[in-house]
Amino acid sequence: MSNWDEFVGSGATQLPSLGWEGDNAGTATSYGNSHEPDGDEGGSIFSLGRVQFALSSPLLSLSCCSNILLLTLKGTTPSPQIVRIDLDTPTEVETIDVPLVTPTQTHRTHVDPTGKHVVFSTATGENWYLFVGPLPSSHVGARKPKPLPRLKGAVIESVSWSSVPSSSLYSTSALLLGTSTGQILETTLLDSSITDHSAFSLPGRSGVERYVKNLYTLPERAGITGLRGEIWGSGASRRAVVVVATKTRIYQFVGGMPGSAGARRNEDDCVFEGLFGAYQGSEAAQPKSLELPGEPTNSELHFFAPLKIDQKGVAVATALPKSVAWLTGPGIYHGPLLFPSPPTPLPPGESLISTASLLPYPSEPTAATSYGSSQAGPGAVSDDEGKTEMPLSMVLTEWHFVLLYENCVRVVGLMSGRVVWEEELILPDGSKPVRLVADPLRRTYWLFTASAIYELVIKDEDRDVWKVYLGKSDWDRARRFAKTPKQRDMVLGAEADHYFTSGKFIQAAQCYAQSTRSFEEVALAFVDRNERDALRYYLGAKLERLGRGDLTQRMMVATWLVEIFLSKINQLEDMAAAERAKDDVENFNVEQVMLEDDMRQFLVTYKDNLDEKTVFDLLSSHGRDDMTLFYADLVGDHERIVTHWILEEEWKKALAALGKQDHLDLYYRFAPVLFRHSAKEAVESFMRQPNLDVRRLIPALVVPRRAGAEKQSSSPEHVIRYLQWAISDLQNTDPSVHNTLLTLLATDTTSPEGQLLHFLSASPDNPLTSQPYYSLDYALRLCRTHKRVQSCVMIYSKMGLYEASVDLALESDDLELAKINADKPEEDELLRKKLWLKIAKHVVGKKNDIKTAMRFLESTDLLKIEDILPFFPDFVVIDDFKDEICTALEGYSAHIERLKEDMDEATRSAEAIKSDIDDLRDRFVVVDASEKCGSCGQQLLTRQFYVFPCQHAFHADCLINEVTKHLSPTALRRMLDLQSQLAPSAPPKTRRQLEDSHNAGRKLAAASVQGLDQLRKLVLPDALLSIVGGAIPGGGTGGKKRDAMGTSAKKEAGEKQGLRNKLDELLASSCVLCEGGIASVDRPFVDEGEEM
């Protein structure tokens, strides 16, 4: 193991930051006349730099795979050396010696794409295998190449490594070997010194080569310079291809994989034996082959395969190759590869190289010819101006061929066949370039001589691919590879120009719209060619791309499109009218329908960018009524729609259009004409819009009739129905509406009076006036004018003129109506009786029939037989209604008996009450001697007291104090008034106190809450006690004094006793603890102004 510094010479030139020598590698030349990149955009795509690495001995070969650089050096001993450098850690350099038996020239070094396996071949047929991947931690010692004894004598020219990973990290999968004698061998290699190989061993098989199988030998036994095998598919549909190249021939072995429906049984099974079996034997198929003339000194076979990227964005493997290039004598044979999948057949002998072509090598420019004019394109041959030379080596990239010559490196475009970049190699005397190599995973490219290493850096390789496709008029691919807006615009402009010159104006319009070509230029070009359809497509596409803020431009373009649409529609109509052939007429009609649909969609999309007045003017000038209606509906111009249908006398369509909008003013404006011609539908439309002001509709619904005019076509029934709906469902309270409905019902001779009566009776009343919303006076005059007698009677009744209503009913001899109105004054029984007497008088006077009069009496309880007797004539014989009189007398007698019984019951109740009062006077309560006052808690019997039925007892003065706390202001003032009235009977001292208290009480009579508290203080318990208790007369002298009292004195004593009783009732009407406690529940514990 050596360090990187050991390989860096002291005299090496200092390199740029990327590690390249930019000055001593050569002079680069770009070709500007091709469609490939010229290095002007973002710098050159290609750059060649020398690697800053000093070689210890001449370099024999170089390989780079998976960023692992493997150098084969001649070495200081007869044995060559292999130097391994991981470019991710370039300071770690590993050197491995290859112990050759005989010192001989190294022939080839083959490295697999993963950079782990190396096959070393010599010109004498000695072959070695070396594992250069990461070693296991258990491995001890340095790497040692392993000889391949079973391959001894075979000079390996080429190797095809399997793309299928092996089950072991230290083993190769099945690989194909191409020898210098035209043999195709298959083997699997394993270094048994690194890992236990027991799992891979079979009886009779040992060594590094697990097996070696000779699959096929080319007929001419020429050396195989290129070899590639691929397997795709799965299961029974697995397929394989092996491409073999010699210096002059290329072979393709294709077919299925017999016996490989499943996976290999183990690592020692041959993989491609079944494929080559189809090309051997008596009935063997012949592989697809191609021979090219010439005797080239070297030949190479290269493939380009896309990368497989993992989730981290790192390339982990290559997919199936998509192109192949074969370096031959006449030129580069190249083409894409197609791998068909089942069920596409793939018999042996088929070719997978599609549309292959031969690209001659570019000619060498002479001294007098510049690079820009001496490139040999496809099919070019050498001439006097220059000569062609076969490259030493080649590398195939995705878009270019990189060719190595003795004095320069050239890059040729894969599609154009032109040289796009060249750099001259300035090498020391005697130094020649050896070969170009590529890292298929990391996409790095290397050039080496015996003494130096160069790297070809390709940056943004597909940057100018769009130019190539542009030159080939492949517009789709050119747009796909254009990376900047400027490039895409150039492609679109070129494509549009191509279509325009070819007469494909629609396609040109679409491309022009996407480009930045001048709007005026394009529009004028289409106008000059009279291509209105293309202009329409162009304007439409351009309008889509205009910014939202370009309001003026959007309006102008959109308006222009409207005019173009209308002109085209009229043109199609004219063509259809002038055409005689039926099929052509139908085609024109279909095209017109499609164009009208497009215009409608256009109006919907860009209605915000159009000026309504301008568009309506355009539509009107072209006579497109249908489109005018559509646009009016779109922008909400319902007035225009309704007006149109009214002018067309399409009343139902006008109402339908009116119903689609919510502007009420349009209803009021068009209601007269619509109702006049389609009353029923108009009313239904009005009823669907409950927000209408019915009062504003009345002038349109009710048209005054002129004297002598014919009957109107519209019956008032629809107006009546609408007004009834407005009153009942909308709860309309407008008096004008109610009066209008009343007028229609009263004046309509075709309508029965029952409808008017129902309205008069069911019409709601105004809660503020308790009167109907219609005018009663107007209703009465109207009904009298049109002789609506029953209605007049009802109106009189609503006005409270019951006598007039009954009189009018009797005038019309409508006895039942009179009876109904006679019962209406329910609270005035005298008036009811008076009205019934009127009816009775009418019945007796008009009918003059006693039986009819008797039946009339049965219909009311207010009249008796004696009430109607005065109405009969004097000559009426009593015998005719004797039974009725007897029945009446019997009724009176029964009523008198009931009254007598009620009087007796009342007398008995009075006597019972008197007895109870007498019993109450003798009621007593037993008071215990230890009983205490319920207020002060002292002995009760010490002074005057009160005892309540609830057994609560209080001193008289304590009771007065407690009662005044709970009395209402009214009761309190009543107590003070009684206190003042009883003052004259009190002792002199007490009388003065009471008088002072009475005067203060008057001053506080109208006081506030504070005055109420002062009133309570004016109550004098001691004074009241002396008044209520009174002076108890002593001994028998009291009786004499009472006898000596006069009448006036007795009267005065009785009045005072009554006052005392009232005062006593205020104090002792209820227990202050029971009833008073309940009354003071809401009283706060602390009164306002008191402190806690």
Side-chain angles (χ1 to χ4, degrees):
M1 182 72 69
S2 302
N3 292 329
W4 175 264
D5 295 340
E6 297 179 7
F7 294 90
V8 180
S10 59
T13 305
Q14 296 298 321
L15 301 180
S17 59
L18 292 179
W20 321 125
E21 288 184 359
D23 297 333
N24 62 351
T27 303
T29 303
S30 297
Y31 295 84
N33 68 332
S34 70
H35 291 288
E36 293 292 334
D38 56 5
D40 295 335
E41 298 180 4
S44 176
I45 296 176
F46 306 94
S47 61
L48 183 65
R50 182 175 178 176
V51 179
Q52 194 176 16
F53 183 76
L55 300 172
S56 60
S57 61
L59 180 61
L60 302 179
S61 68
L62 180 147
S63 298
C64 187
C65 297
S66 296
N67 224 28
I68 304 297
L69 190 65
L70 293 172
L71 308 177
T72 303
L73 303 178
K74 186 176 182 180
T76 57
T77 63
S79 299
Q81 294 177 329
I82 295 179
V83 178
R84 178 184 183 274
I85 304 173
D86 187 346
L87 297 180
D88 292 331
T89 57
T91 58
E92 299 178 2
V93 181
E94 184 180 4
T95 304
I96 305 102
D97 294 328
V98 180
L100 296 179
V101 178
T102 58
T104 182
Q105 181 78 27
T106 300
H107 185 61
R108 289 278 191 273
T109 301
H110 309 280
V111 184
D112 81 312
T114 64
K116 297 179 181 179
H117 308 281
V118 178
V119 174
F120 187 82
S121 177
T122 65
T124 59
E126 291 186 60
N127 300 295
W128 300 76
Y129 168 70
L130 176 64
F131 178 78
V132 294
L135 294 172
S137 59
S138 61
H139 181 76
V140 179
R143 304 178 191 269
K144 294 182 180 180
K146 302 295 181 180
L148 302 175
R150 299 177 66 176
L151 295 175
K152 187 175 180 62
V155 179
I156 301 175
E157 294 283 350
S158 57
V159 177
S160 174
W161 303 90
S162 175
S163 59
V164 180
S166 174
S167 60
S168 173
L169 296 176
Y170 311 104
S171 170
T172 67
S173 294
L175 53 89
L176 298 176
L177 307 176
T179 68
S180 60
T181 58
Q183 292 178 310
I184 302 175
L185 308 177
E186 181 181 339
T187 186
T188 300
L189 304 178
L190 172 67
D191 188 350
S192 59
S193 64
I194 298 177
T195 182
D196 181 14
H197 64 281
S198 60
F200 304 97
S201 300
L202 290 175
R205 298 184 181 182
S206 61
V208 179
E209 311 100 314
R210 309 312 305 158
Y211 66 92
V212 177
K213 181 71 175 179
N214 186 1
L215 299 178
Y216 192 83
T217 302
L218 299 179
E220 70 274 16
R221 303 186 68 83
I224 300 176
T225 59
L227 181 64
R228 181 69 175 256
E230 293 290 344
I231 299 175
W232 73 96
S234 60
S237 62
R238 293 181 69 197
R239 298 178 174 188
V241 60
V242 176
V243 181
V244 181
T246 65
K247 290 184 179 181
T248 58
R249 284 181 176 270
I250 185 169
Y251 297 87
Q252 299 181 61
F253 298 88
V254 300
M257 300 288 286
S260 61
R264 297 170 64 192
R265 292 189 299 273
N266 54 61
E267 294 287 339
D268 294 340
D269 289 340
C270 190
V271 176
F272 291 94
E273 185 176 8
L275 172 65
F276 285 96
Y279 296 93
Q280 297 176 350
S282 57
E283 299 181 356
Q286 295 299 318
K288 185 72 174 181
S289 64
L290 174 68
E291 183 178 4
L292 294 177
E295 293 293 334
T297 58
N298 63 320
S299 175
E300 295 179 6
L301 183 66
H302 294 277
F303 294 84
F304 177 81
L307 298 177
K308 293 182 179 179
I309 309 297
D310 63 5
Q311 296 180 350
K312 297 180 180 180
V314 179
V316 294
T318 58
L320 292 174
K322 72 173 188 177
S323 60
V324 60
W326 177 33
L327 186 68
T328 65
I332 302 173
Y333 179 80
H334 66 95
L337 290 171
L338 299 179
F339 295 88
S341 301
T344 304
L346 186 64
E350 287 291 324
S351 174
L352 298 185
I353 302 176
S354 173
T355 62
S357 60
L358 182 65
L359 175 66
Y361 299 118
S363 62
E364 290 287 342
T366 62
T369 307
S370 66
Y371 288 119
S373 60
S374 63
Q375 304 161 46
V381 296
S382 60
D383 50 26
D384 296 339
E385 294 182 355
K387 61 180 181 178
T388 60
E389 178 184 355
M390 183 175 179
L392 300 176
S393 182
M394 178 187 73
V395 166
L396 174 64
T397 68
E398 185 176 6
W399 302 107
H400 299 90
F401 302 109
V402 182
L403 305 179
L404 175 64
Y405 295 88
E406 287 187 359
N407 60 347
C408 67
V409 177
R410 290 178 179 172
V411 178
V412 179
L414 183 63
M415 294 177 294
S416 65
R418 300 174 183 271
V419 177
V420 298
W421 182 83
E422 178 176 317
E423 182 161 343
E424 182 181 0
L425 295 176
I426 302 176
L427 303 175
D429 294 339
S431 179
K432 294 182 179 181
V434 179
R435 189 180 178 88
L436 285 171
V437 295
D439 186 342
L441 283 180
R442 294 301 181 91
R443 296 286 194 259
T444 56
Y445 305 93
W446 308 83
L447 180 156
F448 68 94
T449 67
S451 60
I453 302 173
Y454 300 88
E455 183 175 9
L456 177 64
V457 179
I458 302 178
K459 180 181 179 182
D460 197 13
E461 183 185 4
D462 61 345
R463 185 182 68 188
D464 293 328
V465 173
W466 65 276
K467 293 182 180 179
V468 181
Y469 286 120
L470 183 63
K472 294 183 176 183
S473 299
D474 192 342
W475 315 115
D476 293 336
R477 287 191 175 93
R479 284 194 300 271
R480 188 189 314 159
F481 286 97
K483 296 184 177 181
T484 64
K486 180 180 178 181
Q487 294 173 359
R488 286 191 290 270
D489 186 66
M490 292 176 64
V491 174
L492 289 170
E495 183 181 4
D497 292 339
H498 171 75
Y499 287 139
F500 192 87
T501 56
S502 302
K504 300 178 180 179
F505 298 105
I506 300 298
Q507 294 90 326
Q510 294 172 346
C511 294
Y512 277 134
Q514 300 177 53
S515 70
T516 58
R517 191 70 61 87
S518 171
F519 176 81
E520 294 81 0
E521 178 185 351
V522 176
L524 289 175
F526 286 125
V527 171
D528 292 341
R529 291 291 190 98
N530 196 25
E531 289 296 332
R532 307 282 288 183
D533 292 339
L535 180 60
R536 173 162 51 88
Y537 278 102
Y538 172 71
L539 294 177
K542 202 67 177 177
L543 182 59
E544 291 179 0
R545 288 165 174 80
L546 284 175
R548 295 291 182 184
D550 301 330
L551 300 179
T552 304
Q553 293 89 330
R554 292 177 68 89
M555 181 177 294
M556 292 176 62
V557 174
T559 306
W560 193 0
L561 276 170
V562 170
E563 196 278 332
I564 293 176
F565 270 115
L566 294 173
S567 298
K568 183 63 177 179
I569 293 173
N570 290 342
Q571 181 184 358
L572 291 175
E573 280 188 348
D574 295 341
M575 293 170 66
E579 189 63 42
R580 295 183 179 180
K582 182 178 180 181
D583 294 339
D584 294 338
V585 172
E586 292 180 355
N587 292 336
F588 288 137
N589 291 335
V590 171
E591 185 178 357
Q592 179 183 347
V593 171
M594 295 175 61
L595 190 63
E596 289 176 348
D597 292 340
D598 292 342
M599 184 176 180
R600 290 188 181 93
Q601 185 60 40
F602 171 80
L603 293 175
V604 171
T605 305
Y606 298 103
K607 65 177 182 179
D608 296 333
N609 301 117
L610 293 169
D611 180 66
E612 295 181 11
K613 183 178 182 303
T614 304
V615 174
F616 280 124
D617 290 343
L618 286 173
L619 294 172
S620 177
S621 63
H622 286 268
R624 308 306 307 181
D625 291 342
D626 53 343
M627 203 62 67
T628 301
L629 294 175
F630 175 81
Y631 183 68
D633 181 66
L634 184 64
V635 299
D637 191 353
H638 300 283
E639 180 179 357
R640 187 181 297 271
I641 301 175
V642 177
T643 302
H644 171 79
W645 291 124
I646 288 176
L647 294 176
E648 296 291 330
E649 297 186 358
E650 294 286 350
W651 313 115
K652 292 183 179 180
K653 293 182 179 180
L655 286 168
L658 188 63
K660 291 181 180 179
Q661 56 85 41
D662 297 325
H663 296 288
L664 303 182
D665 290 339
L666 295 184
Y667 282 89
Y668 305 137
R669 177 179 176 183
F670 295 109
V673 63
L674 292 175
F675 182 78
R676 186 165 61 251
H677 294 90
S678 183
K680 179 181 178 182
E681 290 76 10
V683 166
E684 292 175 352
S685 177
F686 299 156
M687 293 173 67
R688 286 192 291 268
Q689 182 55 268
N691 295 326
L692 287 172
D693 185 356
V694 183
R695 182 172 185 173
R696 294 185 61 181
L697 283 176
I698 290 177
L701 302 179
V702 183
V703 181
R705 296 183 183 179
R706 292 176 296 177
E710 296 181 358
K711 183 179 178 181
Q712 294 180 344
S713 59
S714 58
S715 175
E717 61 176 321
H718 302 298
V719 185
I720 294 173
R721 180 164 62 94
Y722 175 66
L723 297 179
Q724 288 176 338
W725 172 81
I727 294 174
S728 60
D729 292 8
L730 300 183
Q731 304 296 320
N732 189 290
T733 59
D734 191 342
S736 300
V737 177
H738 288 252
N739 289 330
T740 302
L741 178 57
L742 176 66
T743 302
L744 293 174
L745 293 175
T747 58
D748 186 10
T749 57
T750 61
S751 175
E753 191 175 0
Q755 198 172 3
L756 176 59
L757 291 172
H758 179 269
F759 168 71
L760 294 175
S761 60
S763 178
D765 292 340
N766 189 337
L768 300 178
T769 62
S770 300
Q771 294 292 326
Y773 288 103
Y774 58 84
S775 173
L776 290 173
D777 294 337
Y778 172 74
L780 182 60
R781 292 195 304 271
L782 190 66
C783 293
R784 277 188 172 278
T785 302
H786 293 85
K787 296 181 174 52
R788 301 288 188 171
V789 178
Q790 297 182 6
S791 301
C792 291
V793 172
M794 183 174 293
I795 293 171
Y796 275 129
S797 177
K798 284 184 172 292
M799 297 173 69
L801 303 177
Y802 300 107
E803 293 187 37
S805 64
V806 172
D807 291 341
L808 184 58
L810 294 177
E811 286 180 9
S812 60
D813 199 20
D814 193 340
L815 190 60
E816 294 299 325
L817 184 59
K819 291 179 181 179
I820 294 173
N821 286 273
D823 278 333
K824 287 186 177 181
E826 298 177 354
E827 298 179 358
D828 192 348
E829 188 170 348
L830 293 177
L831 179 58
R832 288 175 59 202
K833 187 172 183 180
K834 180 179 179 181
L835 298 176
W836 276 102
L837 287 173
K838 282 189 174 186
I839 299 173
K841 184 176 180 181
H842 174 78
V843 171
V844 174
K846 186 173 183 180
K847 300 294 184 181
N848 198 16
D849 185 3
I850 295 178
K851 293 184 178 180
T852 301
M854 293 302 104
R855 287 195 298 269
F856 169 76
L857 287 177
E858 296 175 357
S859 60
T860 180
D861 296 333
L862 296 176
L863 300 181
K864 303 299 180 183
I865 184 63
E866 64 273 19
D867 294 327
I868 65 172
L869 286 177
F871 301 140
F872 287 100
D874 296 337
F875 53 84
V876 173
V877 181
I878 196 173
D879 293 339
D880 294 334
F881 47 92
K882 179 177 59 176
D883 296 335
E884 286 75 9
I885 294 176
C886 293
T887 302
L889 292 176
E890 291 174 358
Y892 291 147
S893 176
H895 183 62
I896 291 171
E897 292 296 329
R898 286 195 299 273
L899 292 177
K900 288 175 63 176
E901 291 176 1
D902 294 340
M903 292 173 63
D904 294 340
E905 181 66 27
T907 302
R908 288 193 295 269
S909 298
E911 292 176 354
I913 293 172
K914 183 177 180 181
S915 176
D916 292 339
I917 293 174
D918 293 339
D919 293 339
L920 287 175
R921 291 178 180 176
D922 298 333
R923 186 178 60 176
F924 63 91
V925 177
V926 178
V927 179
D928 190 81
S930 62
E931 186 73 26
K932 296 182 179 181
C933 175
S935 177
C936 65
Q938 298 180 3
Q939 290 294 328
L940 182 66
L941 300 179
T942 58
R943 57 182 183 270
Q944 187 177 353
F945 61 88
Y946 280 85
V947 179
F948 293 92
C950 60
Q951 302 299 321
H952 287 142
F954 301 91
H955 290 133
D957 54 342
C958 293
L959 179 62
I960 293 172
N961 288 330
E962 292 295 332
V963 169
T964 55
K965 295 179 182 179
H966 304 287
L967 285 179
S968 63
T970 304
L972 192 59
R973 293 188 181 93
R974 177 62 178 161
M975 178 178 288
L976 292 174
D977 186 52
L978 294 174
Q979 178 179 281
S980 63
Q981 293 181 26
L982 292 172
S985 62
K989 182 179 179 181
T990 302
R991 186 183 308 117
R992 286 195 299 272
Q993 294 178 353
L994 292 175
E995 290 176 354
D996 295 339
S997 175
H998 179 65
N999 295 331
R1002 288 183 176 178
K1003 296 179 181 179
L1004 296 174
S1008 59
V1009 177
Q1010 291 80 3
L1012 184 62
D1013 293 336
Q1014 294 297 328
L1015 286 176
R1016 291 193 178 99
K1017 294 179 181 180
L1018 296 178
V1019 177
L1020 304 176
D1022 294 337
L1024 288 177
L1025 183 61
S1026 62
I1027 295 173
V1028 173
I1032 303 174
T1037 60
K1040 294 179 180 179
K1041 290 181 181 180
R1042 285 194 298 271
D1043 293 340
M1045 283 183 180
T1047 304
S1048 60
K1050 290 181 180 180
K1051 183 177 180 181
E1052 182 179 356
E1055 291 177 356
K1056 291 183 178 180
Q1057 185 61 37
L1059 294 175
R1060 290 191 183 97
N1061 292 338
K1062 292 180 181 180
L1063 184 60
D1064 190 62
E1065 184 178 356
L1066 284 174
L1067 294 174
S1069 61
S1070 62
C1071 176
V1072 71
L1073 289 181
C1074 297
E1075 298 295 335
I1078 296 174
S1080 61
V1081 167
D1082 58 346
R1083 182 179 178 183
F1085 290 102
V1086 179
D1087 292 335
E1088 186 176 357
E1090 294 184 356
E1091 295 183 357
M1092 294 290 292

